[in-house]
Amino acid sequence: MTVRFSGTGELSPLLREPFPGGDVVEWTVRAPEQVRQQSVPSGAGTFLQSDHLATAVAGRRRGDAHRAIIGSLTRFDESLDDAAMAQALTEFLRRHEELRAHYVIDESGITRMVAPANVIEVVTTGSGGAGRQRVDGESIGEHAAQRIAAHTDYDSVPAMHFGAAADADGFTFYLGTDHVHGDGYSMWLALAEIVALYRARVHGDDADLPPVGLYADYIRDESISATAVGAADESVDIWRKALRAKGGIPTSALDLGLADDAPVAAVRARRDLLTAEQAARIDERLASTDLTFTGCVYAALASAQLAVTGEGLFCTTTAVARRMPGHERTQGWLCNFAPICFDTDPDGDCWALIATATAAVRDARIASQAPVGAVLGALAQSGELPPINGSPQMVTYLDHRRLPGVADPTVATTVGFPGVGRTRNANLWVSRMTDCLTIETQIPDNATARANVESYFDAIADWLGVFAAGVDEPPRSHRIAGLPA
């Protein structure tokens, strides 16, 4: 298992398996400008959306290319019925009001505009004809990412872009949206639902999907809960301690080869860390304890950081799902940010570090109960908020085995991906798939960053592999800070 890097300037996700190419078919709503005109105001957005939109507006004013997307590809091993897919997508968009929304930003602030469900009808475009476009399997990832980036933005109608590359034996289905409308978890939910709706339309069956809550209810509840946040709250104290320990917002401890604080063009990097069998052995080792696999992942990240950089303080920010009852399948950005911060003992064993990391993950879940915007506001009011310059370092861990629909062979092929633009960080996405544990990042595209992230990923895999093999002591290089083997 080695680290793979995307090509310079490529938007394409790093695919672990080939996806088929074929004739390009896409879907959009009928008369999008009429849909826009019939949209009505529905409040504003969440704290995370407001930050995202402020960044997006600034980027648009600078003339930056739109790259703040999330997308996915799914392989269907059957011929495409484009009419049935149009019907399925119509029903899908009608079910989710956030995907019928666009955002207007002017002197008065942010206004969330939502189209009524009954004005949505999805139609097929680019199907058949002498001038049809064809994309091969090697190009499908880049094609999908480029199309999503070109056709979605915070004020686009429709909010989500859909397409496929179809051949006689199957097709690659792709979708994506601006990050303001959702996260990677929502992309997986979308695919599970679309697959069910599509099959129902093809076979004339009932999809039998559960009802979904309104994203507007989540926005309202977050706003209400924010008013109750005070400087003495436990959530605020967890953030306070993390910011003090780091001396500001979390940033990557890796040397990313930057000359200043300006973001630069990014490149993707990905590595498989464990096989499914190795991950299962870790589960077995933890089964008789109150320690978690998530804690084990963060322990590996921290120990590897110490080995590669000599930095013993592990401090990052993570995304925690905040889906209240009735919103388990809602499309939207239903999460909160929280800190994970702890010290790594260079003389400790694996068990002690997992215990420390597990406790820090549990603290993050407590911290996530208060909206991050309200927490930072409380700290600012008390004079305890350090200067914030740019976005924090992020680590997102997702166990794909627990996602709805993952037992379906088609849904299981799904590969999600964020957009790639400019960065001065090294955000991490750790995913436990059905067949492996994998890690992905986006780093500044330079030789120093590439070399250091490769060493870092290798060190993470070494630590996890040793523990999976039944050894309690970390690899020797992890016990001697700054002296990798």
Side-chain angles (χ1 to χ4, degrees):
M1 292 184 281
T2 59
V3 179
R4 294 173 55 211
F5 294 93
S6 62
T8 297
E10 290 182 356
L11 299 187
S12 177
L14 291 166
L15 302 176
R16 296 173 58 242
E17 296 179 354
F19 279 69
D23 294 335
V24 173
V25 182
E26 295 194 326
W27 297 268
T28 190
V29 297
R30 187 187 300 277
E33 285 310 307
Q34 291 183 26
V35 172
R36 184 188 301 275
Q37 291 167 11
Q38 294 181 71
S39 299
V40 297
S42 178
T46 66
F47 284 110
L48 296 186
Q49 288 180 304
S50 296
D51 284 348
H52 172 91
L53 290 169
T55 301
V57 169
R60 183 178 287 187
R61 287 172 178 165
R62 290 192 302 268
D64 296 348
H66 176 235
R67 294 291 181 264
I69 62 168
I70 47 173
S72 64
L73 297 100
T74 302
R75 187 181 72 248
F76 284 72
D77 295 322
E78 58 194 87
S79 60
L80 171 65
D81 183 333
D82 53 14
M85 184 62 79
Q87 294 169 349
L89 296 176
T90 296
E91 189 171 353
F92 173 66
L93 292 181
R94 287 178 176 178
R95 281 168 54 83
H96 297 283
E97 46 108 52
E98 176 59 20
L99 299 183
R100 291 183 272 110
H102 68 277
Y103 290 81
V104 175
I105 299 133
D106 54 27
E107 297 79 8
S108 63
I110 298 168
T111 303
R112 181 174 183 261
M113 305 291 294
V114 180
N118 62 2
V119 306
I120 297 296
E121 181 186 3
V122 174
V123 294
T124 305
T125 65
S127 177
R132 64 190 176 187
Q133 181 182 6
R134 188 169 181 86
V135 176
D136 61 30
E138 292 183 359
S139 305
I140 183 59
E142 183 70 13
H143 168 83
Q146 292 282 1
R147 293 295 289 172
I148 293 165
H151 289 276
T152 66
D153 213 326
Y154 62 83
D155 53 358
S156 297
V157 175
M160 188 169 276
H161 187 72
F162 307 98
D167 218 332
D169 298 326
F171 61 98
T172 295
F173 179 75
Y174 56 87
L175 63 78
T177 186
D178 186 280
H179 203 345
V180 74
H181 294 293
D183 54 11
Y185 188 89
S186 289
M187 291 297 96
W188 273 79
L189 293 179
L191 260 301
E193 188 170 313
I194 290 169
V195 168
L197 290 167
Y198 174 69
R199 286 192 177 138
R201 291 293 184 174
V202 169
H203 300 295
D205 298 328
D206 185 358
D208 193 26
L209 293 171
V212 294
L214 297 175
Y215 186 65
D217 291 343
Y218 176 81
I219 296 172
R220 185 193 65 247
D221 289 352
E222 183 193 71
S223 179
I224 293 171
S225 67
T227 63
V229 176
D233 290 358
E234 187 174 11
S235 296
V236 176
D237 193 51
I238 292 169
W239 268 105
R240 177 186 291 117
K241 289 176 180 176
L243 294 172
R244 283 178 178 173
K246 187 66 178 178
I249 65 169
T251 55
S252 176
L254 297 176
D255 179 357
L256 298 176
L258 298 173
D260 52 40
D261 289 338
V264 299
V267 65
R268 299 185 198 270
R270 182 170 186 160
R271 189 195 200 281
D272 290 349
L273 300 173
L274 294 173
T275 64
E277 292 74 22
Q278 288 175 304
R281 287 198 289 272
I282 290 179
D283 288 335
E284 293 170 1
R285 297 203 73 191
L286 299 175
S288 61
T289 75
D290 64 349
L291 307 181
T292 66
F293 191 91
T294 306
C296 188
V297 167
Y298 280 100
L301 297 179
S303 187
Q305 174 187 284
L306 176 63
V308 172
T309 72
E311 174 57 63
L313 175 68
F314 181 82
C315 194
T316 191
T317 311
T318 191
V320 181
R322 299 296 301 166
R323 290 179 173 267
M324 54 193 176
H327 287 74
E328 293 85 358
R329 304 295 181 92
T330 301
Q331 284 291 308
W333 204 357
L334 290 85
C335 72
N336 195 14
F337 291 174
I340 292 180
C341 194
F342 58 92
D343 287 306
T344 307
D345 180 357
D347 299 318
D349 65 13
C350 295
W351 288 105
L353 188 54
I354 296 172
T356 298
T358 297
V361 170
R362 288 173 179 151
D363 281 347
R365 294 198 178 106
I366 294 171
S368 73
Q369 294 173 12
V372 61
V375 169
L376 299 181
L379 291 173
Q381 192 170 26
S382 63
E384 300 174 277
L385 184 66
I388 295 179
N389 179 23
S391 301
Q393 159 78 8
M394 294 289 301
V395 177
T396 301
Y397 172 68
L398 186 58
D399 188 342
H400 290 243
R401 303 170 308 152
R402 304 182 187 278
L403 292 170
V406 73
D408 184 294
T410 298
V411 177
T413 67
T414 300
V415 174
F417 59 92
V420 57
R422 300 173 70 81
T423 188
R424 60 183 181 87
N425 228 323
N427 293 338
L428 306 175
W429 291 269
V430 185
S431 300
R432 187 167 181 181
M433 315 298 287
T434 56
D435 62 340
C436 72
L437 179 74
T438 187
I439 188 169
E440 184 168 333
T441 189
Q442 293 183 18
I443 55 171
D445 190 6
N446 63 65
T448 299
R450 286 174 181 252
N452 286 333
V453 83
E454 189 165 12
S455 296
Y456 185 46
F457 281 8
D458 287 346
I460 296 167
D462 287 346
W463 193 97
L464 289 168
V466 162
F467 187 72
V471 179
D472 294 341
E473 295 296 324
R476 175 174 171 77
S477 62
H478 289 233
R479 301 198 296 271
I480 306 176
L483 297 176

